[in-house]
Amino acid sequence: MLRHFEKKISNIKEIKGIRIKTFNAVMIAAACLVFAALLYNTALLPGKYETLSEHTEEYVECEKNASELREASDYLTEQVRLYAINMNIDNMNNYFNEVNITKRRNHALENLEAANTSDRLKQSLKAALESSNDLMKTEVYSMKLISLANGYSDDVLPEEVRSIQLKAEDMRLSPEEMIEKGRSMVFDSGYQNAKALIYSHLDHFIDGTMTHLSEEQELVYSGLGDAITLQSILIVVLFLINIITFIAIYTLIVRPLTIHVRRIEENGMLEIMGAYEFKYLAITYNDIYELNAANQEVLKKKAERDSLTGLMNRGTFENLKRIFKESQSPLALLIVDVDKFKTVNDTYGHSVGDKVLIRVGNTLEKTFRSTDKIARIGGDEFAVVLTDIRKEDASAIREKAAEIGKVLSQSEYDIPAITLSIGAAFSDQGFHDKLFEQADKALYEAKESGRNRICIYEET
């Protein structure tokens, strides 16, 4: 025992490895330094990002207003054309509701005029507005022609339509000709060219404004370049610190701990691995494990084995019964009793009686298979569980019983000859509750029939 502890102390002194406490302190310090630099650099960025955000919002707003202007213009065209085709006064009302109430086109133009762009580009926007107003006059004139051709009274017409004075030559047109001309004014190539001119002015303004805003964004981006690069480097460094920390924690702590837990669950010794603390723990645990294993082995042998014959004892046999109850496999149970064992003890003494029991146990072990289970369950009573065997194999068991009887019928040195009575019972589905009772009844029958024989339980 002294040598054992001297060896343990020597192993502990030889432990080499990274200490968790030291590694943790170093990595925290490094992470704090990098994080402080990251915070300082981050504090410088809000102003630049705010400027960039303003330009971006202006860019988005400009694009939104341009889209709104196009939609409003297309909506007016759609309503005037529907009126020219269907001559439904609702379409005319929709047209002027957009012009006088919704005013999406006006709001979009006002917002675009406020954009941060050059006067030259704003001239294009002004030209687009003038062209749009000219086209609107054509559209109102078209609606006037169609309204007059349909005989609509002034009461149902919007003010803009009522106030239009038709040309003298148009007044002489028939209703059909007025409708035809009104439709032609909003569908012919002249109308399409006017629309195209508006979009051309508008596209020139939008493209120029977008280009201007993009250039300003690029200037802000270039100012952020160095700061973002530094920010990226610091983040990468912090990420690498985390990766190194993760790998180290996994290598030094998590993996050893996982392996140690598995080894403990498997009831095995621990590997000497990981951080210094885990190596120390493993060496200490293994030392205790070795001592405990040795003690357990001694206790196990005492607990599971019969001290005289070395066979399984009654307690182990009871546990075996529970195991075979769950197996559902076919088996046979033999209960073996030494005939007139009391007479042997009385005649030859208990020491010879013990030798008789030992000889019986040895003979049973030699005769039956290694997969069969043999136990001493009483003074001169033994039990044998034969696995994977059915009642059809009863003749093989009788042969085994005859072989055992032949051996024991011969005296050996100072051990007298004896005979055995055997009761057997079969089960197709594991060790059920009545199996022992059935084998015991068969044993009783063997004794009542004159001993020195085997009887097999039969269902009545």
Side-chain angles (χ1 to χ4, degrees):
M1 185 64 72
L2 180 60
R3 289 181 180 177
H4 176 81
F5 281 105
E6 286 176 349
K7 180 181 179 182
K8 174 187 172 184
I9 293 171
S10 176
N11 289 338
I12 291 175
K13 287 181 178 179
E14 293 176 358
I15 296 176
K16 294 180 181 180
I18 299 174
R19 293 179 181 265
I20 296 174
K21 181 178 180 180
T22 303
F23 173 79
N24 190 50
V26 171
M27 297 310 293
I28 288 177
C32 286
L33 288 174
V34 175
F35 190 68
L38 189 61
L39 286 177
Y40 176 76
N41 189 64
T42 302
L44 301 177
L45 296 177
K48 296 178 180 180
Y49 277 116
E50 185 176 352
T51 302
L52 177 62
S53 178
E54 290 174 356
H55 287 306
T56 301
E57 289 177 4
E58 190 174 358
Y59 184 96
V60 172
E61 188 67 20
C62 184
E63 196 172 48
K64 176 184 175 183
N65 287 310
S67 176
E68 189 76 8
L69 182 60
R70 286 178 182 275
E71 288 179 7
S73 179
D74 290 342
Y75 179 77
L76 292 176
T77 299
E78 177 189 73
Q79 293 304 314
V80 73
R81 284 179 169 177
L82 286 173
Y83 183 67
I85 295 172
N86 302 326
M87 292 173 287
N88 187 334
I89 202 166
D90 288 339
N91 295 120
M92 181 169 57
N93 290 333
N94 291 339
Y95 179 94
F96 287 103
N97 184 69
E98 172 65 33
V99 171
N100 299 320
I101 299 175
T102 308
K103 295 183 178 182
R104 287 185 296 168
R105 190 181 59 157
N106 299 59
H107 296 320
L109 284 169
E110 290 174 4
N111 292 333
L112 289 172
E113 286 176 352
N116 181 20
T117 186
S118 66
D119 293 337
R120 180 177 59 82
L121 290 175
K122 288 185 178 180
Q123 288 299 321
S124 296
L125 184 62
K126 185 178 180 181
L129 178 59
E130 291 174 354
S131 298
S132 178
N133 290 332
D134 290 340
L135 187 63
M136 186 174 175
K137 293 177 182 178
T138 300
E139 293 169 343
V140 175
Y141 196 90
S142 169
M143 286 188 280
K144 179 70 173 184
L145 283 171
I146 294 173
S147 300
L148 188 61
N150 281 277
Y152 294 146
S153 66
D154 287 347
D155 293 341
V156 299
L157 299 178
E159 173 60 28
E160 291 86 349
V161 177
R162 288 201 305 269
S163 62
I164 292 294
Q165 295 296 323
L166 296 180
K167 297 176 183 179
E169 60 268 26
D170 292 334
M171 291 294 294
R172 292 192 292 271
L173 296 174
S174 66
E176 290 79 9
E177 291 173 335
M178 286 184 179
I179 292 173
E180 182 63 28
K181 182 173 183 178
R183 289 176 177 173
S184 176
M185 289 178 71
V186 294
F187 280 99
D188 62 10
S189 58
Y191 185 85
Q192 296 293 345
N193 292 335
K195 289 281 291 184
L197 180 61
I198 294 172
Y199 286 148
S200 175
H201 290 309
L202 187 60
D203 289 342
H204 182 262
F205 171 79
I206 296 299
D207 292 344
T209 301
M210 292 299 187
T211 301
H212 174 70
L213 292 174
S214 296
E215 289 173 353
E216 290 190 349
Q217 284 181 320
E218 286 298 325
L219 289 174
V220 177
Y221 275 126
S222 63
L224 289 172
D226 293 340
I228 292 175
T229 300
L230 178 59
Q231 193 89 342
S232 300
I233 292 172
L234 291 173
I235 290 173
V236 169
V237 172
L238 193 60
F239 176 75
L240 290 176
I241 290 174
N242 288 333
I243 292 296
I244 292 170
T245 302
F246 172 79
I247 294 173
I249 289 175
Y250 179 79
T251 304
L252 299 176
I253 300 176
V254 177
R255 183 171 177 270
L257 187 60
T258 303
I259 294 175
H260 289 351
V261 169
R262 185 170 66 250
R263 295 296 294 151
I264 291 172
E265 289 175 347
E266 294 172 353
N267 196 29
M269 295 179 67
L270 305 184
E271 296 182 30
I272 311 301
M273 62 185 304
Y276 171 87
E277 291 84 351
F278 279 93
K279 291 179 179 179
Y280 186 97
L281 175 66
I283 290 175
T284 304
Y285 176 87
N286 290 344
D287 181 72
I288 297 173
Y289 179 88
E290 289 177 345
L291 291 175
N292 185 62
N295 291 333
Q296 288 294 329
E297 186 64 26
V298 173
L299 293 174
K300 184 178 180 181
K301 288 183 178 179
K302 290 182 178 180
E304 294 182 352
R305 295 290 171 176
D306 175 55
S307 59
L308 177 64
T309 62
L311 300 174
M312 289 186 293
N313 58 25
R314 183 62 183 255
T316 306
F317 176 71
E318 293 299 325
N319 291 332
L320 195 65
K321 285 165 58 178
R322 285 192 287 272
I323 294 172
F324 280 116
K325 275 185 179 181
E326 300 175 358
S327 70
Q328 300 298 309
S329 299
L331 56 81
L333 172 65
L334 308 183
I335 299 179
V336 181
D337 192 78
V338 178
D339 293 333
K340 298 180 180 180
F341 183 69
K342 184 177 184 300
T343 302
V344 173
N345 276 333
D346 293 341
T347 304
Y348 299 98
H350 287 284
S351 60
V352 173
D354 289 345
K355 291 179 180 180
V356 168
L357 295 176
I358 293 170
R359 189 185 184 198
V360 171
N362 291 338
T363 304
L364 292 174
E365 281 192 306
K366 291 177 181 177
T367 305
F368 289 106
R369 301 168 298 177
S370 60
T371 55
D372 299 329
K373 310 300 179 182
I374 305 169
R376 182 188 175 197
I377 59 175
D380 63 329
E381 194 171 49
F382 298 82
V384 183
V385 178
L386 290 83
T387 59
D388 296 319
I389 193 167
R390 299 183 183 276
K391 197 168 184 179
E392 293 78 15
D393 303 314
S395 59
I397 295 178
R398 291 184 184 279
E399 290 176 4
K400 293 286 185 181
E403 184 180 339
I404 293 169
K406 182 178 180 180
V407 172
L408 297 178
S409 65
Q410 302 294 324
S411 61
E412 185 180 76
Y413 302 110
D414 58 342
I415 302 174
I418 58 166
T419 59
L420 300 178
S421 293
I422 303 173
F426 289 87
S427 170
D428 291 330
Q429 293 184 332
F431 204 113
H432 57 74
D433 293 335
K434 293 185 178 180
L435 187 62
F436 192 92
E437 180 183 341
Q438 293 171 353
D440 195 51
K441 286 182 179 179
L443 175 63
Y444 179 78
E445 182 183 346
K447 289 182 178 181
E448 289 296 307
S449 301
R451 297 187 176 88
N452 189 24
R453 68 194 61 211
I454 179 172
C455 288
I456 297 175
Y457 177 80
E458 299 287 348
E459 293 283 352
T460 55

